[in-house]
Amino acid sequence: MSQQSTWRRVWKHCRDVLTAHGMKFGQSRPAAVVALKPVVSVAFAVFTAHALGLQDTWWAAISAVMVTQDSFGASLYRGLLRMLGTIFGAAAAFLLGPLISPYPIVFALVMGLVTWGCLYSALVYRHSYAWVLTMITFVMVMCEAVNPQGHLGQFALERIANVAVGTAGCILVAGLVEARLIGATLSGGRNWHDLVGPMTGRLTEAPIERRGASLHALQGAVAMIALSVSVSFWGLGPFAQGMVTATAVLVVPLDTAAGDPHLLVVQRMAQRFVGCLLAGVVAFAMLPFIESKPLWCQIALGLGVWAATFLQTVYPHGRYIAVQFLVAFIMVFVQDQGWTVEEEPALARLAGVMAGIVTLYAVFLLFRNTARQTAN
């Protein structure tokens, strides 16, 4: 057998192995081009947020990438759900925050109740993404309510404004690059229903056992109560991000085809930690080369967004790691004024992720031991 033939067989074997793990070699070139879409969306969102003088502008950038989908219709639908969830969550927290934040026990119980309701609804009902954003926004604004230096109304409005800017940027870019959108516009809108498509938004179309979903959501509620008590007595610290982690990782399909929900959640815990850790490591390594250099900061941000989006496409099994890397990476490079690099947000997010993981895993062990004792 010739050496060339041997190398061909080695290459074919490696390609088959990688393909079996999700690498789509035939789609790499289109994926590289498609990955430019969120880069442009983020640039538009950050520029607009800076021009409007918004605070916490990484929310706009994160919204731009999280709303981006394969088609204009899917992006539009996800953007609408993100806006609705953000508005409802912010409004509810703005109304309840001043009333219950002085009472730690009441604060913790309300946080747990809202978490259970939103998680259960996200697992069982349609438009899951809206329920998730309602929960996350409610948690973030309620945490601001217990902040002695916080300005609750301004914080809630800033959150809504940033999400609106990021969502609008994504939808605008998606519309401009969607050839069918141009055709629908030129035809007087007769084909709009084809663009948008069916709007279900459920985690799974398989029947969901309501009792199992209720118990699954209850674990998130218990973790939320524990973290809320910590916030009330010891201050925010990493606990705000921990609350988001402890609930977000629980949003997994509960049908048997998807696998064991407990295992899926544990995998998400590990992937969330790895993604945030990678973002911190990469940002720290790049810091000496790009600090206080606005152009290089922008180039680094664009490359990070592009690389994470590209990897989500060609390596689906690592999608959640790439998403978490992307969120933490944006928090490092997108600041309120000007272009600087701040690694503290990524480290704070990493600490919050650890707090959420430890708390939720402790709740898992509590539920498992209780179930065993009941069975015996």
Side-chain angles (χ1 to χ4, degrees), residues 37 114 169-170 213 259 292 303 349 362:
K37 186 165 61 174
V114 172
C170 166
S292 302
L303 288 175
R349 181 176 175 82

Side-chain angles (χ1 to χ4, degrees), residues 77 81 118 120-132 197-205 210:
Y77 173 53
L81 295 185
C118 289
Y120 178 81
S121 299
L123 295 168
V124 173
Y125 299 124
R126 300 173 60 195
H127 313 308
S128 172
Y129 192 60
W131 292 107
V132 173
M199 294 186 177
T200 56
R202 291 187 61 183
L203 288 175
T204 176
E205 295 303 322
R210 300 295 179 94

Side-chain angles (χ1 to χ4, degrees), residues 36-370:
L36 294 174
K37 186 165 61 174
V39 176
V40 178
S41 300
V42 167
F44 174 87
V46 174
F47 174 82
T48 305
H50 282 170
L52 294 174
L54 298 178
Q55 302 294 314
D56 297 326
T57 51
W58 56 59
W59 284 343
I62 291 171
S63 295
V65 296
M66 296 303 288
V67 171
T68 300
Q69 301 294 300
D70 294 336
S71 66
F72 170 79
S75 298
L76 177 62
Y77 173 53
R78 192 172 178 86
L80 290 174
L81 295 185
R82 189 174 184 89
M83 280 304 307
L84 288 173
T86 299
I87 292 171
F88 286 136
F94 175 74
L95 294 174
L96 291 175
L99 299 177
I100 65 175
S101 59
Y103 309 102
I105 302 301
V106 178
F107 173 79
L109 291 176
V110 170
M111 292 285 278
L113 179 62
V114 172
T115 297
W116 180 87
C118 289
L119 269 177
Y120 178 81
S121 299
L123 295 168
V124 173
Y125 299 124
R126 300 173 60 195
H127 313 308
S128 172
Y129 192 60
W131 292 107
V132 173
L133 263 294
T134 300
M135 175 180 64
I136 290 175
T137 306
F138 181 85
V139 167
M140 296 178 68
V141 178
M142 286 294 287
C143 285
E144 186 68 12
V146 301
N147 182 4
Q149 287 78 39
H151 301 281
L152 188 60
Q154 179 182 350
F155 184 86
L157 290 175
E158 292 271 359
R159 166 75 178 177
I160 294 172
N162 274 295
V163 171
V165 167
T167 300
C170 166
I171 293 174
L172 176 63
V173 172
L176 291 176
V177 301
E178 179 71 67
R180 291 185 301 158
L181 174 62
I182 299 174
T185 303
L186 294 177
S187 65
R190 289 190 296 271
N191 299 323
W192 275 97
H193 63 282
D194 296 327
L195 279 171
V196 176
M199 294 186 177
T200 56
R202 291 187 61 183
L203 288 175
T204 176
E205 295 303 322
I208 299 297
E209 203 271 307
R210 300 295 179 94
R211 184 176 181 275
S214 179
L215 290 175
H216 188 81
L218 183 60
Q219 295 176 89
V222 173
M224 179 62 71
I225 290 173
L227 290 167
S228 298
V229 171
S230 301
V231 166
S232 296
F233 286 102
W234 296 296
L236 288 175
F239 297 120
Q241 283 290 339
M243 291 175 175
V244 175
T245 293
T247 51
V249 296
L250 286 167
V251 185
V252 296
L254 297 185
D255 61 308
T256 55
D260 180 11
H262 181 271
L263 179 59
L264 291 176
V265 172
V266 172
Q267 288 175 346
R268 280 203 162 196
M269 289 179 181
Q271 291 170 345
R272 196 175 183 94
F273 176 78
V274 170
C276 293
L277 180 63
L278 285 175
V281 170
V282 171
F284 184 80
M286 298 174 69
L287 186 60
F289 304 100
I290 62 177
E291 188 175 16
S292 302
K293 298 175 183 177
L295 178 60
W296 286 106
C297 287
Q298 295 172 51
I299 292 174
L301 174 64
L303 288 175
V305 172
W306 177 87
T309 306
F310 176 76
L311 288 174
Q312 290 181 55
T313 304
V314 301
Y315 190 59
H317 292 288
R319 182 182 182 278
Y320 197 69
I321 295 177
V323 169
Q324 297 310 311
F325 169 88
L326 187 53
V327 171
F329 195 78
I330 286 174
M331 294 177 72
V332 171
F333 284 91
V334 178
Q335 306 303 320
D336 291 340
Q337 301 297 330
W339 288 93
T340 58
V341 178
E342 300 288 344
E343 66 273 19
E344 286 83 3
L347 296 177
R349 181 176 175 82
L350 184 63
V353 167
M354 280 302 302
I357 288 174
V358 170
T359 304
L360 182 59
Y361 198 76
V363 172
F364 273 3
L365 294 178
L366 174 64
F367 271 65
R368 177 171 293 184
N369 291 335
T370 301

